[in-house]
């Protein structure tokens, strides 16, 4: 992000549709020579008038002033230089943040009628490793509706969204016709679109997760049913089949439209084992659906030929609220949990006592989120209320008091989301309540002579030093809640916050 004074730089006008999709673009700048016209040659010492030659230097001595009129470009004040903004740097009264579009391959934003503080990426049939713009992305989200004046609390929804025409971000100020033609071919001059369908939901959606598509499945078809689970503030976990909604949004010409089921507005199953204890931890895996509540209980729901079956006995070892759950990517019976009791625990569902196998005190405060590396089965990253990000080697959990293999104290507020890159096993994304979304690369080694954690800026204020593993800092959203990598578009990041969604792809990864 760059920091400019309000007078020196205006926010780029959004490229948007009536449906709320926006793309940041810088304004075009005209060549200064096109507006100046003719001007005198300032290097000319003499001029001829009515047959008399006058020495310009001597004339200036008599009149006591120089007749030279500076060109327009010489008299215009220079533009205020832009400055790179680091979190912790104090703002001046006339300064604000603007995005540096040259570091974004794509940058889009959208908003919905109500905040959607949890979402998940839906798989589609357009293939993997997509690189050609414009892109299309599918997500499922849930609302946290507020009060409507005179009508009470608004009704909540599960929303299936199709984000179309996610084009390249334009950052070239050249207005030539040739560039315009190139833009049309590259898809950078198309408006992004949002199409959606909604399902009524009882209570606000605390967390929502889509059932993953098994590896080796046909990439040109979607599962039927395509299950999505929500954890409601009422304590109930609802499971919806969103496949008919995807088929409707895809249109009748879509090759993926094979389901003919009607769109049901009711969940296909509801889990009531948590009673009235709401929760935020929910995770699908090959074995089934894990759900954890604020009452320290974890339940496992499996899918049987006759439907869904939730075990009556919970997994109990934590002493406080369950905040997040993750299945092992390599062992179908093993999962990890994060809790407000400051610990991360690893479980095996084959253990008859339903107790955790190993645990570690991971943070000084609540552990909010965890993510299990899909490519390196022993790596897990955690984020806590202390603002710390820690990477753990799970092989060390049985050896004394384990310490993290990496510890980053960059964020200045609680961590709200972490997720490993879908294909690059050394990269992960994180978000925090400090309005930052950060990308990290563990493969970058620090210098032998490590810099101090805090450095002093030119104005004397203290700001955090940039760790070498910090690839990118994305800002502009307020109170970012969740971040996900798109599994089929390498490097594309999607995030949600109190003020809407962002979809972007950087030059960093």
């Amino acid at each position: 992000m760059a920091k400019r004074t309000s007078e020196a730089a205006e926010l780029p006008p959004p490229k948007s549709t009536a449906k709320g999709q926006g793309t940041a673009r810088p304004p075009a700048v005209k060549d200064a020579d096109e507006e100046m016209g003719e001007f005198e040659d300032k290097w000319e010492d003499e001029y001829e008038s009515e047959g008399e030659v006058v020495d310009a230097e001597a004339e200036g001595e008599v009149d006591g002033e120089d007749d030279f009129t500076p060109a327009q470009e010489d008299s215009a004040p220079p533009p205020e230089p832009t400055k790179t903004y680091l979190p912790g740097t104090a703002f001046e009264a006339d300064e604000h943040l603007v995005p540096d579009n040259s570091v974004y391959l794509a940058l889009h934003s959208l908003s919905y009628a109500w905040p959607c503080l949890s979402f998940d990426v839906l798989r589609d049939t357009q293939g993997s490793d997509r690189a050609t713009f414009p892109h299309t992305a599918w997500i499922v989200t849930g609302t946290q509706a507020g009060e409507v004046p005179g009508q009470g609390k608004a009704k909540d929804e599960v929303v299936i969204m199709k984000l179309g025409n996610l084009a390249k971000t334009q950052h070239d100020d050249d207005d030539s016709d040739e560039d315009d033609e190139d833009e049309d071919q590259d898809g950078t001059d198309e408006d992004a679109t949002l199409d959606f369908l909604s399902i009524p939901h009882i209570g606000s959606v605390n967390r929502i997760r889509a059932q993953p598509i098994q590896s080796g499945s046909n990439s040109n078809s979607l599962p039927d049913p395509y299950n999505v689970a929500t954890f409601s503030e009422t304590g109930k976990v609802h499971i919806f089949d969103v496949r008919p909604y995807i088929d409707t949004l895809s249109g009748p010409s879509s090759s993926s439209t094979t389901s003919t089921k009607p769109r049901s507005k009711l969940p296909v199953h509801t889990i009531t084992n948590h009673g009235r204890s709401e929760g935020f931890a929910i995770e699908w895996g090959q074995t089934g659906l894990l759900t954890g509540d604020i009452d320290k209980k974890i339940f496992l729901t499996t899918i049987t030929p006759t439907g869904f079956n939730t075990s009556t006995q919970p997994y109990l070892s934590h002493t406080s609220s369950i905040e997040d759950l993750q299945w092992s990517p390599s062992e179908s019976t093993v999962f990890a949990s994060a809790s407000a009791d400051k610990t991360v625990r690893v479980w095996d569902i084959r253990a008859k006592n339903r107790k955790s196998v190993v645990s570690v005190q991971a943070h000084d405060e609540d552990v909010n989120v965890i993510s299990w590396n899909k490519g390196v089965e022993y790596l897990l990253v955690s984020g806590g209320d202390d603002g710390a990000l820690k990477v753990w080697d799970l092989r060390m959990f049985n050896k004394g008091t384990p310490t993290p293999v990496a510890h980053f104290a960059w964020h200045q507020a609680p961590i709200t989301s972490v997720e490993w890159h879908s294909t690059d096993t050394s990269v992960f994304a994180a978000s925090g309540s400090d309005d930052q979304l950060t990308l990290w690369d563990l493969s970058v080694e620090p210098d032998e002579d490590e810099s101090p954690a805090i450095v002093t800026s030119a104005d004397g204020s203290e700001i955090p030093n940039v760790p070498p593993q910090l690839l990118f800092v994305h800002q502009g959203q307020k109170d970012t809640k969740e971040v996900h990598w798109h599994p089929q578009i390498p490097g594309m990041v999607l995030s949600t916050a109190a003020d809407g969604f962002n979809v972007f792809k950087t030059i960093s990864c």
Side-chain angles (χ1 to χ4, degrees):
M1 303 297 289
K3 185 172 72 171
R4 303 183 182 180
T5 62
S6 299
E7 296 178 354
E10 297 180 356
L11 284 174
K15 171 189 174 186
S16 60
T17 69
K19 298 180 181 179
Q21 180 71 30
T23 302
R25 289 189 173 190
V29 179
K30 291 185 178 180
D31 191 336
D33 291 344
E34 294 179 3
E35 298 180 353
M36 284 167 37
E38 298 181 358
F39 56 93
E40 293 180 327
D41 182 359
K42 67 177 182 179
W43 304 111
E44 184 175 340
D45 292 329
E46 298 179 347
Y47 66 92
E48 185 174 349
S49 175
E50 297 182 357
E52 180 181 3
V53 176
V54 181
D55 188 296
E57 183 176 354
E59 185 73 14
E61 292 176 356
V62 174
D63 296 339
E65 60 183 5
D66 192 351
D67 286 340
F68 170 66
T69 301
Q72 179 179 349
E73 62 179 3
D74 295 333
S75 60
E80 186 75 15
T82 60
K83 294 177 286 184
T84 300
Y85 173 77
L86 287 177
T89 305
F91 276 96
E92 299 293 339
D94 60 345
E95 290 180 326
H96 60 266
L97 290 178
V98 295
D100 180 359
N101 285 342
S102 67
V103 300
Y104 288 96
L105 296 180
L107 176 59
H108 300 267
S109 63
L110 66 96
S111 60
Y112 192 65
W114 298 108
C116 302
L117 304 185
S118 181
F119 77 102
D120 205 0
V121 180
L122 294 171
R123 291 271 184 166
D124 57 50
T125 59
Q126 298 184 29
S128 300
D129 299 325
R130 306 200 297 265
T132 304
F133 286 93
H135 289 296
T136 298
W138 292 77
I139 65 174
V140 61
T141 187
T143 65
Q144 293 199 346
E147 297 286 333
V148 178
Q151 301 181 28
K153 188 178 185 300
K155 293 182 179 180
D156 285 286
E157 301 170 321
V158 170
V159 189
I160 300 90
M161 296 182 175
K162 178 185 178 182
L163 315 179
N165 287 330
L166 300 175
K168 272 187 178 181
T169 295
Q170 178 185 346
H171 56 84
D172 189 347
D173 294 334
D174 192 349
D175 286 335
S176 68
D177 293 339
E178 181 179 351
D179 286 347
D180 288 343
E181 294 177 1
D182 291 341
E183 288 169 16
D184 293 337
Q185 295 174 0
D186 293 342
T188 56
D189 201 29
E190 295 289 334
D191 288 333
T193 60
L194 167 62
D195 298 300
F196 63 92
L197 290 170
S198 62
I199 307 171
H201 189 271
I202 300 175
S204 295
V205 177
N206 290 346
R207 191 70 59 87
I208 187 168
R209 289 292 180 265
Q211 186 175 9
I213 297 177
Q214 302 299 328
S215 58
S217 300
N218 186 355
S219 61
N220 292 323
S221 63
L222 295 177
D224 193 3
Y226 197 164
N227 293 319
V228 167
T230 65
F231 211 138
S232 172
E233 64 175 348
T234 64
K236 291 182 172 60
V237 176
H238 301 292
I239 299 175
F240 298 88
D241 178 11
V242 301
R243 174 61 189 272
Y245 291 83
I246 295 174
D247 291 341
T248 300
L249 288 173
S250 297
S253 61
S254 173
S255 60
S256 66
T257 305
T258 58
S259 174
T260 58
K261 293 186 300 183
R263 301 199 312 263
S264 173
K265 294 186 177 180
L266 298 175
V268 296
H269 183 73
T270 296
I271 302 169
T272 59
N273 297 54
H274 295 279
R276 298 186 63 83
S277 299
E278 65 177 327
F280 298 87
I282 186 168
E283 176 75 357
W284 288 97
Q286 295 181 21
T287 306
L289 177 68
L290 289 169
T291 53
D293 59 35
I294 62 174
D295 200 26
K296 307 169 287 188
K297 297 176 181 178
I298 301 172
F299 288 94
L300 172 62
T301 300
T302 56
I303 301 177
T304 68
T306 58
F308 298 89
N309 179 45
T310 303
S311 174
T312 58
Q313 297 299 317
Y315 294 90
L316 288 170
S317 282
H318 283 293
T319 60
S320 189
S321 171
I322 311 298
E323 299 297 308
D324 204 3
L325 292 162
Q326 285 277 287
W327 282 104
S328 166
S330 59
E331 299 179 76
S332 61
T333 62
V334 176
F335 69 90
S337 60
S339 171
D341 63 10
K342 307 176 186 178
T343 67
V344 170
R345 295 179 179 268
V346 179
W347 313 66
D348 192 324
I349 63 174
R350 295 171 295 184
K352 295 182 179 181
N353 61 1
R354 295 182 179 266
K355 299 292 183 181
S356 62
V357 179
V358 292
S359 68
V360 63
Q361 181 168 334
H363 290 261
D364 296 330
E365 298 181 38
D366 299 4
V367 187
N368 295 329
V369 286
I370 53 175
S371 179
W372 206 318
N373 195 304
K374 300 298 188 292
V376 184
E377 61 186 29
Y378 55 83
L379 287 183
L380 182 142
V381 61
S382 64
D385 265 357
D386 52 7
L389 292 165
K390 298 183 181 182
V391 180
W392 301 92
D393 184 339
L394 297 176
R395 298 172 298 180
M396 301 294 105
F397 274 28
N398 280 322
K399 300 180 180 180
T401 304
T403 57
V405 296
H407 179 189
F408 305 112
W410 173 264
H411 284 269
Q412 305 300 309
I415 303 299
T416 57
S417 183
V418 290
E419 186 170 279
W420 288 101
H421 192 283
S422 53
T423 56
D424 192 332
T425 57
S426 66
V427 175
F428 69 88
S431 64
S433 297
D434 55 358
D435 302 338
Q436 293 188 68
L437 192 161
T438 52
L439 307 182
W440 302 82
D441 188 353
L442 297 182
S443 67
V444 179
E445 298 183 359
D447 295 334
E448 294 182 0
D449 300 327
E450 293 188 6
S451 303
I454 301 294
V455 297
T456 303
S457 64
D459 60 3
S461 61
E462 291 186 343
I463 58 175
N465 193 26
V466 180
Q469 296 86 358
L470 181 57
L471 285 180
F472 197 84
V473 178
H474 173 75
Q475 293 182 280
Q477 291 179 283
K478 298 298 182 183
D479 196 13
T480 309
K481 290 297 185 183
E482 251 182 45
V483 56
H484 295 293
W485 298 92
H486 197 293
Q488 296 171 276
I489 308 175
M492 177 166 282
V493 180
L494 302 95
S495 60
T496 187
D499 55 355
F501 293 89
N502 274 188
V503 182
F504 66 90
K505 182 177 172 65
T506 78
I507 61 174
S508 300
C509 58

